[in-house]
Amino acid sequence: MLRAMEQRCLYDYNLLELTELLRGWGEPAFRARQLYRQLYVNLTASTEQMTDLPAALRARLAEMPLSTLRLERVQIGDEGLTRKALFRLPDGAVVETVLMVYPDRSTVCVSTQAGCGMGCVFCATGQLGLLRNLSSGEIVAQAIWASQELRAMGAAGPAGRVSNLVFMGMGEPFANYDRWWQAVERLHDPQGFHLGARSMTVSTVGLVKGIERLAAEKLPINLAISLHAPDDTLRSELMPVNRRYPIAELMAATRRYVEQTRRRVSFEYVLLQGKNDHPHQAIALARLLRREAPRGPMLFHVNLIPWNPVPGTPLSRSEWQRVTAFQQILTDYRIPCTVRVERGVEIAAACGQLAGQQGVVVQPS
Ligand code: SAH
Ligand code: SF4
């Protein structure tokens, strides 16, 4: 594992911490508020451009990096409406961020770790292993990049700013909970980036402790749970984490979460041809959810995701007619269910394709 980040950047600080930092330099509190505004509202790309700050302070700030993410390249797909950024970190690791522009909104998909230690067999990031956790500033700075990119594109109306943020990039957010949550709070801060809690969604592989912690948090962000199989044998084969937290435990934690928060959760289910997309598996999933899932009207929802190819794996994407047949069975069981339309497949920017290169090659075992 690479050495954890040591160099703090300005995006690692919340307003209180910036105030402390500047106080130590003999600056009044309002200077910290000015700086914070420059970072999160004006999205100013360098401290030299923060001309409302005195030159001496700017010079001092310039000794510290604004962000430790170095943009290496941006790939463009879907006729300019999907953009994937590849960032290099000071220790050489890479992370990716995806911006998706729709007519009525703009969504950014953010990474929380470089690589991932969870080893799901269908996921390109999983093949990398865990390189390291991202700092809160490295998570926050990805959303800042997306906002700057939207501004540079001249995007207008509701899509002109980041309106939705999903923690569905590289990494498992709950395996980096503290830093990830600091990033959530900072992005939510009404004095700064001001993104509504309900506009953020975290996706987890199913770490029960993280689900429990999230249930106790004050900000009502949305929760998505990667399920991907209706039984423990198959889930453990696809997602090694299932050996630690089998389905019954995961469902119990989800039920407690919904009881505590009264918020709806979504279950994600990636469709893999001949693996987990058979009609009998749709029936088993429907029965599992009817039996185990949170009760009450519409307190859960299933998101079917046609698998995005990861080169080198022996898996394949379900044909469309199998996807619709699977969805029909869930609908017949009155399970609320949608099929996610993917963006950015041709630039390897879709869910599960982020690996810092054009796909990773996995050695068959
Ligand atoms: N680690 C978290 C969040 C990042 S992955 C998690 O696993 O939930 C975001 C979503 O993409 C998860 O539901 C994941 O299972 C799914 N995913 C992974 N690889 C994929 C692929 N190749 N095609 C489609 N979805 C994939
Ligand atoms: Fe990690 Fe999520 Fe990929 Fe699994 S699907 S390896 S948890 S990023």
Side-chain angles (χ1 to χ4, degrees):
M1 189 162 155
L2 295 173
R3 261 192 323 148
M5 55 283 150
E6 273 144 21
Q7 191 179 29
R8 271 186 111 182
C9 65
L10 287 176
Y11 279 114
D12 278 317
Y13 292 77
N14 64 24
L15 178 55
L16 206 67
E17 292 164 336
L18 278 182
T19 310
E20 282 304 305
L21 178 76
L22 265 59
R23 196 207 310 275
W25 299 349
E27 297 285 349
F30 79 90
R31 289 289 181 217
R33 287 197 297 276
Q34 276 178 306
L35 171 59
Y36 193 73
R37 229 189 126 67
Q38 287 284 9
L39 292 170
Y40 289 96
V41 181
N42 303 352
L43 312 170
T44 308
S46 79
T47 41
E48 292 92 84
Q49 289 165 32
M50 300 179 181
T51 46
D52 57 340
L53 300 179
L57 176 57
R58 276 185 276 148
R60 186 132 199 203
L61 288 168
E63 288 169 16
M64 236 170 126
L66 195 86
S67 156
T68 42
L69 301 181
R70 193 159 52 75
L71 183 63
E72 202 143 285
R73 63 162 192 259
V74 179
Q75 283 173 277
I76 296 184
D78 300 319
E79 294 171 351
L81 298 178
T82 302
R83 286 158 190 250
K84 178 174 80 167
L86 182 130
F87 297 101
R88 192 164 294 279
L89 306 175
D91 52 16
V94 292
V95 287
E96 292 180 319
T97 309
V98 183
L99 170 65
M100 292 158 283
V101 183
Y102 300 89
D104 59 339
R105 67 187 194 282
S106 287
T107 300
V108 59
C109 177
V110 167
S111 297
T112 54
Q113 298 182 307
C116 180
M118 297 295 147
C120 305
V121 299
F122 48 81
C123 171
T125 310
Q127 321 302 332
L128 299 172
L130 177 64
L131 302 176
R132 73 163 167 85
N133 285 322
L134 298 187
S135 73
S136 64
E138 287 166 340
I139 298 171
V140 161
Q142 297 173 61
I144 301 292
W145 165 78
S147 302
Q148 289 166 334
E149 188 76 6
L150 284 168
R151 193 161 65 182
M153 286 164 69
R161 56 158 297 174
V162 170
S163 52
N164 297 80
L165 187 149
V166 295
F167 295 101
M168 295 189 186
M170 299 168 91
E172 166 54 37
F174 290 171
N176 186 20
Y177 196 100
D178 292 333
R179 298 180 190 93
W180 164 70
W181 188 254
Q182 287 162 16
V184 169
E185 288 188 320
R186 214 165 309 139
L187 291 168
H188 171 261
D189 185 1
Q191 295 188 69
F193 197 69
H194 199 186
L195 184 63
R198 285 171 210 282
S199 304
M200 293 189 242
T201 301
V202 64
S203 174
T204 179
V205 72
L207 297 183
V208 163
K209 294 214 163 55
I211 297 173
E212 288 167 350
R213 284 184 75 176
L214 185 64
E217 302 286 4
K218 286 201 181 67
L219 295 179
I221 74 162
N222 304 304
L223 173 63
I225 294 173
S226 296
L227 190 56
H228 305 328
D231 62 82
D232 280 322
T233 310
L234 181 60
R235 193 163 188 270
S236 295
E237 180 192 325
L238 298 174
M239 308 168 75
V241 73
N242 193 67
R243 297 190 198 112
R244 198 157 29 125
Y245 298 115
I247 292 177
E249 250 184 80
L250 176 58
M251 286 298 174
T254 309
R255 255 198 329 271
R256 289 195 300 275
Y257 171 89
V258 172
E259 278 157 17
Q260 225 171 308
T261 63
R262 306 312 299 164
R263 291 199 294 271
R264 191 180 77 155
V265 292
S266 42
F267 292 106
E268 291 158 287
Y269 195 102
V270 165
L271 286 162
L272 298 159
Q273 175 124 335
K275 263 282 175 214
N276 67 355
D277 70 344
H278 197 275
H280 76 75
Q281 290 163 318
I283 294 170
L285 177 65
R287 289 192 173 144
L288 169 75
L289 293 177
R290 294 216 73 87
R291 193 173 63 238
E292 299 274 6
R295 296 188 213 298
M298 291 291 283
L299 282 179
F300 71 92
H301 171 269
V302 174
N303 223 325
L304 297 175
I305 313 170
W307 181 67
N308 298 306
V310 175
T313 62
L315 304 165
S316 49
R317 183 184 170 94
S318 299
E319 282 152 21
W320 189 245
Q321 126 206 23
R322 293 173 74 102
V323 174
T324 51
F326 200 95
Q327 184 184 22
Q328 188 57 53
I329 293 171
L330 293 181
T331 307
D332 292 345
Y333 275 82
R334 309 197 28 206
I335 305 283
C337 163
T338 47
V339 178
R340 184 185 293 167
V341 180
E342 288 291 350
R343 276 288 192 90
V345 178
E346 84 272 29
I347 53 167
C351 259
Q353 291 190 317
L354 304 183
Q357 58 196 73
Q358 289 289 355
V360 278
V361 178
V362 180
Q363 300 300 327
S365 51

